[in-house]
């Protein structure tokens, strides 16, 4: 059993150089290094203080006892008891979170399933196939009956655009093309994969991107060199002429590379799941009441520092 240092708050508050505080020695349960009134000081608390402040264990023990004495003195004062309650709640909450962090670490390295889940969410940086950046002009077809005459106009549009390799000139020429009674839309598009997924550089992880017409994506991906143009491509919107601006290489780190890259985020997710599970269990077993005036009272809280 460890020896205990029991220091009484009254002794601390009344002590002077002539009357040092009274300290008694006794036996305590394993893992407890000291008791201060009704408070117990754990050995691991002392170890944490010694490590954090780089002091020897004896000095760390005195620091822990001092903190407990101050807390006991404040708790005994009705004017400050609430402050101690708030502080204790914060410390206990932090201790719970640190325990969850340890549990998340104890699971070990990121599993294949965890890596796969995050890879799917962040595919643009972790599982992106070769992609193309394109500019296109589309002759819009609104009714199936217009398909044949629109195709003839699209042939003339393709002839007018043939040989243009610069995106801005391509768009300008397409927008000026006389396509009546049809309309022409010309624009640059974000990179697209062969399976129709659109993406862009600089988007936050987890961004949801739209998909594009699969016929368009396949035709665009078939273009080999910047400046190449596609034959006329039929999509659900009409007839396209596609200009290839750039081919972008794939981004597919190996499984082990992704495991290392995603380690911190996976640990964070493990901790979040543990926290959410703990909160759910506590809500089930702990009555929670909200007063009717909660909304109006909350509105009075100042958000300014």
């Amino acid at each position: 059993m460890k020896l205990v240092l029991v220091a009484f708050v009254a002794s601390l508050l009344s002590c002077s150089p002539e009357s040092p505080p009274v300290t008694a020695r006794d036996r305590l349960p394993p893992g407890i290094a000291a008791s201060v009134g009704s408070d117990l000081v754990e050995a691991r608390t002392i170890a944490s203080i010694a490590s954090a402040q780089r002091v020897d264990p004896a000095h760390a023990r005195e620091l822990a006892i001092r903190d407990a004495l101050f807390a006991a003195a404040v708790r005994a004062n009705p004017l400050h008891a609430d402050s101690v309650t708030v502080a204790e709640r914060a410390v206990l909450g932090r201790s719970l979170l640190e325990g969850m962090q340890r549990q998340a670490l104890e699971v070990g390295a990121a599993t294949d399933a965890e890596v796969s889940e995050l890879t799917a969410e962040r595919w643009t940086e972790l599982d992106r196939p070769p992609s193309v950046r394109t500019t296109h002009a589309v002759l819009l077809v609104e009714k199936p009956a217009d398909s044949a005459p629109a195709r003839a106009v699209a042939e003339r549009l393709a002839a007018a655009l043939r040989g243009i390799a610069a995106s801005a000139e391509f768009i300008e020429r397409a927008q000026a093309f006389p396509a009546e009674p049809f309309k022409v839309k010309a624009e640059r598009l974000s990179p697209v994969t062969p399976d129709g997924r659109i993406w862009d550089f600089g988007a936050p992880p987890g961004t949801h991107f739209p998909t594009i017409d699969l016929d368009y994506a396949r035709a665009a991906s078939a273009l080999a060199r910047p400046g190449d143009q596609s034959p006329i491509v039929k999509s659900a919107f009409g007839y396209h002429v596609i200009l290839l601006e750039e081919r972008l290489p794939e981004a597919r780190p190996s499984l082990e590379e992704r495991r290392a890259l995603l380690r911190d985020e996976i640990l964070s997710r493990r901790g979040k799941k543990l926290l959410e599970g703990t909160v759910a269990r506590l809500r089930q077993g702990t009555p929670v009441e909200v007063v009717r005036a909660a909304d109006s009272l909350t509105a009075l809280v100042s958000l300014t520092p």
Side-chain angles (χ1 to χ4, degrees), residues 115-287:
V115 174
S116 295
E117 180 183 359
L118 265 177
T119 297
E121 293 179 20
R122 294 171 51 176
W123 67 270
T124 59
E125 56 183 305
L126 300 173
D127 190 28
R128 188 183 73 233
S131 310
V132 291
R133 190 191 297 275
T134 57
T135 295
H136 77 122
V138 55
L139 189 80
L140 300 171
V141 179
E142 298 180 357
K143 298 179 295 184
D146 292 336
S147 182
R151 173 75 191 218
V153 177
E155 294 283 1
R156 292 193 283 111
L157 173 63
L161 296 174
R162 191 168 296 125
I164 299 176
S167 174
E169 183 183 356
F170 184 94
I171 292 173
E172 182 180 4
R173 182 78 61 87
Q175 289 175 336
F177 180 79
E180 294 78 6
F182 303 104
K183 295 180 180 179
V184 175
K185 181 179 181 181
E187 61 185 342
R188 296 185 72 203
L189 295 180
S190 296
V192 62
T193 64
D195 58 1
R197 287 178 289 172
I198 292 177
W199 61 278
D200 217 335
F201 292 104
T207 298
H208 176 72
F209 294 101
T211 57
I212 202 169
D213 185 275
L214 190 55
D215 290 327
Y216 182 99
R218 288 172 175 169
S221 297
L223 297 172
R225 295 179 299 276
D228 285 354
Q229 290 186 17
S230 72
I232 293 175
V233 177
K234 180 70 168 65
S235 80
F237 301 98
Y239 295 101
H240 303 256
V241 179
I242 306 171
L243 170 67
L244 177 64
E245 291 187 43
E246 183 182 10
R247 294 196 66 88
L248 301 166
E250 68 178 12
R252 283 174 166 156
S254 69
L255 174 61
E256 292 309 313
E257 289 172 328
R258 283 179 283 137
R259 202 187 308 278
L261 286 169
L262 298 173
R263 176 185 178 276
D264 290 345
E265 188 169 351
I266 287 172
L267 287 176
S268 176
R269 288 198 172 195
R270 288 177 182 174
K272 183 179 179 181
K273 288 180 181 178
L274 289 168
L275 177 60
E276 289 174 347
T278 300
V279 171
R281 289 193 300 273
L282 291 174
R283 281 187 177 277
Q284 289 178 352
T286 307

Side-chain angles (χ1 to χ4, degrees), residues 22-168:
V22 177
T23 298
R25 291 181 178 271
D26 204 342
R27 294 184 179 277
L28 287 174
I32 303 300
S35 70
V36 181
S38 61
D39 293 334
L40 299 179
V41 180
E42 296 185 3
R44 65 180 182 179
T45 299
I46 294 173
S48 297
I49 294 173
S51 175
Q53 300 195 24
R54 300 182 183 278
V55 296
D56 62 73
H59 184 52
R61 181 189 61 202
E62 293 303 322
L63 292 175
I65 291 172
R66 182 196 63 185
D67 290 345
L69 286 168
F70 288 156
V74 176
R75 192 184 297 112
N77 186 334
L79 295 177
H80 303 300
D82 289 344
S83 299
V84 176
T85 301
V86 172
E88 288 176 336
R89 187 184 303 127
V91 171
L92 291 172
R94 173 56 58 185
S95 177
L96 179 63
L97 292 176
E98 289 175 350
M100 291 178 182
Q101 182 184 44
R102 287 193 295 272
Q103 290 181 57
L105 287 168
E106 287 168 359
V107 174
T111 66
D112 291 358
E114 289 173 321
V115 174
S116 295
E117 180 183 359
L118 265 177
T119 297
E121 293 179 20
R122 294 171 51 176
W123 67 270
T124 59
E125 56 183 305
L126 300 173
D127 190 28
R128 188 183 73 233
S131 310
V132 291
R133 190 191 297 275
T134 57
T135 295
H136 77 122
V138 55
L139 189 80
L140 300 171
V141 179
E142 298 180 357
K143 298 179 295 184
D146 292 336
S147 182
R151 173 75 191 218
V153 177
E155 294 283 1
R156 292 193 283 111
L157 173 63
L161 296 174
R162 191 168 296 125
I164 299 176
S167 174

